[in-house]
Amino acid sequence: MSKSHNRTELSELGEFGLIDHLTGNLKLKNPAVIKGVGDDTAVIDIGDSYLLATKDLLIEGIHFDLTYTPLKHLGYKAVVMNLSDIAAMNGTPEQILIGLAVSNRYSVEALSELYEGIYYACERYKVDMVGGDTTSSPSGMFLSITALGRVDKDKVVYRSTSKVNDLVCVSGDLGGAYMGLLVLEREKSVFKNDPTMQPDLRGHDYILERQLKPEPRFDILAELKKADIKPTAMIDISDGLASEILHICKNSKTGCNIYEDKIPIDTATAIMAEEFNIQPVTIAMNGGEDYELLFTISLSDHDKIKNIKGVTVIGHITDESSGVNLITRNGTAVQIQAQGWEHLRQKNRI
Amino acid sequence: MSKSHNRTELSELGEFGLIDHLTGNLKLKNPAVIKGVGDDTAVIDIGDSYLLATKDLLIEGIHFDLTYTPLKHLGYKAVVMNLSDIAAMNGTPEQILIGLAVSNRYSVEALSELYEGIYYACERYKVDMVGGDTTSSPSGMFLSITALGRVDKDKVVYRSTSKVNDLVCVSGDLGGAYMGLLVLEREKSVFKNDPTMQPDLRGHDYILERQLKPEPRFDILAELKKADIKPTAMIDISDGLASEILHICKNSKTGCNIYEDKIPIDTATAIMAEEFNIQPVTIAMNGGEDYELLFTISLSDHDKIKNIKGVTVIGHITDESSGVNLITRNGTAVQIQAQGWEHLRQKNRI
């Protein structure tokens, strides 16, 4: 990579490195800010409870491809991504704001479809759309969604508070969203090479739904509450298990052992991974976009968690010096590296 | 304009028409939302006070041109635009979240400069940057800023609450930001035609600063408070006086008379307008980006407002049937039309 005297390429830092670089020296000015940059949402003291605020961007050609993403699904997913961040703080979402920039390639009807998906997600999760900004872009579509939520002060869960011996748990199953993406990309390229071919998506319902219509796991939060379990740390899985467990361990100053044979992977995901000649565990670790919850609980809650359907214990927290490890099926400890799905997709990214 | 059966072009509706179309049927689900779409910010009941939330997009090639906009100024202005919306609700800004998408054309150093401007504005207005999202774009820069603020419940000011006989007031002077833009555009095209020419920006400090480094008018809010004046309605001037007074009148279901000879226009703005062969009043009405406050006050506050420096009474509110009028210097009433600066810039916009 060429590098002139005063020019550092974005790719040299990567997304998280860039964020650290740009926000590393930030000092908070107002005592109301309990948590700024560095968790799933900001946490702000508003008196009786905490306000949660988060923002995600979705950019055409980077995060979505409209040749196979219905606009209604895109709208729905854009909201869900943000609500999932609120879930990861153990909070309840309340409002969203929408920023939308589009070129004149889009018609009013197309945008109505997008908003249908947005409103459908709002309806389902009892969230109000309260404002935003609509403008033009020179080309393509840019979506920016801000979600606001609330959490009782004694209920908030951060990334940074896992403790040695805590159990590491994950909701649902992993890797499906990424396999759905690979199938969509494959059918797109088949169609590109031979436009008389019809995309063959039969039998892939599960992984396609994982990619196109993810859901935030408020149902799991409700189950945890019912079982009287408060996670000791939590994050949502947007970039893949590897990246997220590293966030928890780095922020909590701990290590962990994750057991490969415990990681929940749906059969449909595993079959497709084999078809693509990729290890299913690689997809689960680095696939991303599953929007499941990764959380730690106290060892004493082990008996309670066992009975909760849809939660799997995949490992435990260790001290920092032990490192962040994947224990493979043959018992070898492999250090977990952050790749994230962005790396997997191998596009021209930060 | 061509129009196929099921395709309505965005330009047929325009920005405000599109927003109405996409949000017209919205029903609020949570009683905590006091105001959703349709004012400078959303207003949310958080117990002792109201939370204010607003979001603005800034898109390269639409809202800014980096050939003449220093990145530091861009960052500063991006924050100010949003803080100005908080000011328009009579509130105090507290936090911002930043969404940034950039192509790899930008270096780390360039983004550091952008953030320097962002943090400078945060410092000046005592605001914390508490989160956001950083990602790639296929080309160009996209900025999305969300600002959060607070206002005492009895202090909030909406657009929709002006009353017949109220005085219409404006802070500062109008049209300068747009004249600054025209000068920058002129020097850019001179440079394009002859790269040996150096841009000549001498003597244009005031209008250039109006364009490149606007300030939100919290100082005016402080003066109003000191004088014990609570505006009856308020909005910030981002799209030009015409567009904003129409918002106030439409939302308040009133009319108004604005007097041309009362509209504050700086000499530097007027001189440049003449040089460009445009009526200064046209610039003030439609130029936009001044980020001044347009507000109405009760007639009984007339004596108090007279003593506040930097505020001009430019007209009064009438009943709805009288219409929204500009009374020209020769006494003719001309109906005010919404053009907005987007129209003036004549680019390919929504």
Side-chain angles (χ1 to χ4, degrees), chain B residues 261-283:
Chain B
D261 61 352
K262 303 285 187 201
I263 297 172
I265 298 172
D266 189 86
T267 317
T269 306
I271 290 172
M272 278 315 291
E274 268 171 49
E275 203 175 314
F276 277 91
N277 223 350
I278 316 175
Q279 295 278 349
V281 67
T282 305
I283 302 299

Side-chain angles (χ1 to χ4, degrees), chain B residues 92-159:
Chain B
T92 306
E94 298 193 339
Q95 294 92 23
I96 58 164
L97 293 99
I98 301 177
L100 171 67
V102 281
S103 72
N104 55 12
R105 173 161 68 88
Y106 293 90
S107 66
V108 172
E109 289 75 12
L111 299 189
S112 296
E113 233 184 276
L114 177 78
Y115 272 72
E116 230 183 281
I118 288 172
Y119 293 148
Y120 187 60
C122 286
E123 205 58 57
R124 175 142 189 191
Y125 294 102
K126 298 186 178 52
V127 166
D128 285 310
M129 203 289 275
V130 295
D133 192 13
T134 312
T135 185
S136 314
S137 85
S139 72
M141 181 186 286
F142 292 75
L143 258 172
S144 160
I145 297 203
T146 300
L148 302 175
R150 294 234 228 158
V151 63
D152 290 345
K153 288 186 180 183
D154 59 344
K155 297 284 188 309
V156 67
V157 179
Y158 299 103
R159 297 177 177 179

Side-chain angles (χ1 to χ4, degrees), chain A residues 17 21 34 45 63 149 154 191 200 205 247 268:
Chain A
H21 178 79
I34 305 299
D45 192 340
H63 301 100
D154 59 344
F191 181 75
D200 182 9
D205 294 5
H247 279 307

Side-chain angles (χ1 to χ4, degrees), chain B residues 329-345:
Chain B
R329 284 172 202 280
N330 61 26
T332 319
V334 182
Q335 201 190 320
I336 293 176
Q337 311 273 355
Q339 286 193 314
W341 70 297
E342 303 230 345
H343 173 85
L344 266 188
R345 289 181 84 172

